[in-house]
Amino acid sequence: MDAVRVALLREVLAGTEWLGATRRFAGSLRSSVVPHGGGLLLVGTRAYEPWHLAAHLVDEAAWSGTPELTPTLVRHRVLASDPAHLSTGLGRIEAARRGETLLVVAPEAPDAGLLTRVHDARRAGATVLALGSGDRDLSALSHEALAVPGEDSGTAHDLDLDTVQHLVSAAAGENALPVARGRRRFRDRLSRLADQLTSPPPTRW
């Protein structure tokens, strides 16, 4: 349903600043990771882990043939029982170096510990991108930031963070594609979705 939802959102938001803003941010993300062969680190705050954005980026990486968009999800708390792909702790940010990209998703102000790690990653040469509430300290550490005003801002076409993440991830997968090819890929995705919705349920053994 993601492809259909994004297409509808774009129709609703046509003529607003959001389509351009999310495409520009997605372009910065893509241009940061593709030339370096990946190295995308994705982290949230202590109270918010960006699971959905991680999943969307994995899907877009596969659909667009751009594996560099596949992120490493960095977590504030890792348990011994967690699988390997969910066992990357905050120490990974401290190890970030030039050529890597750190995308911070923060619906609220990050704590001092995370800000310190982001600062160190930037000093080491990593590219820092921020998506969230527009926290001043995080924005100051970022090479590019996209602020999501939230539903209580009183502005037209208020969007929540989850919706903006859909738009950014979809645009990241499409940014480098020629227009005709992008349309063909989008039709292919809709066709696959239709096949999935009309196919009989799998047999359970």
Side-chain angles (χ1 to χ4, degrees):
M1 294 296 290
D2 285 350
V4 175
R5 181 182 180 187
V6 169
L8 293 175
L9 282 171
R10 287 174 173 169
E11 288 186 14
V12 171
L13 296 172
T16 72
E17 74 280 6
W18 280 109
L19 290 185
T22 52
R23 285 187 184 278
R24 284 191 298 273
F25 188 84
S28 296
L29 172 60
R30 184 167 184 137
S31 64
S32 178
V33 299
V34 170
H36 297 286
L40 176 58
L41 306 176
L42 176 62
V43 67
T45 61
R46 188 175 298 276
Y48 179 86
E49 286 193 323
W51 296 95
H52 287 162
L53 181 55
H56 296 327
L57 287 171
V58 168
D59 288 343
E60 291 299 334
W63 285 329
S64 66
T66 314
E68 297 88 350
L69 289 173
T70 302
T72 296
L73 181 62
V74 178
R75 307 181 64 199
H76 286 253
R77 185 183 179 204
V78 176
L79 302 178
S81 58
D82 290 333
H85 69 287
L86 296 178
S87 297
T88 302
L90 292 175
R92 182 63 181 84
I93 299 177
E94 298 171 6
R97 294 295 180 263
R98 185 174 304 278
E100 294 185 305
T101 300
L102 176 61
L103 174 54
V104 185
V105 182
E108 72 280 337
D111 60 37
L114 179 57
L115 287 173
T116 297
R117 288 181 169 91
V118 173
H119 175 264
D120 291 344
R122 173 162 179 156
R123 287 188 61 186
T127 297
V128 178
L129 305 176
L131 177 61
S133 64
D135 175 71
R136 182 180 302 177
D137 292 332
L138 179 58
S139 296
L141 292 173
S142 305
H143 292 90
E144 183 161 346
L146 179 59
V148 183
E151 299 177 356
D152 299 327
S153 66
T155 59
H157 297 287
D158 289 335
L159 297 178
D160 60 26
L161 184 59
D162 183 61
T163 300
V164 171
Q165 290 177 79
H166 273 277
L167 293 171
V168 166
S169 58
E174 296 170 352
N175 264 353
L177 298 174
V179 174
R181 184 181 177 193
R183 289 174 179 167
R184 183 164 61 251
R185 282 182 177 274
F186 180 66
R187 287 198 299 270
D188 290 344
R189 290 166 63 182
L190 287 178
S191 177
R192 287 198 301 271
L193 175 65
D195 290 342
Q196 292 172 5
L197 292 176
T198 58
S199 62
T203 302
R204 296 186 180 276
W205 302 93

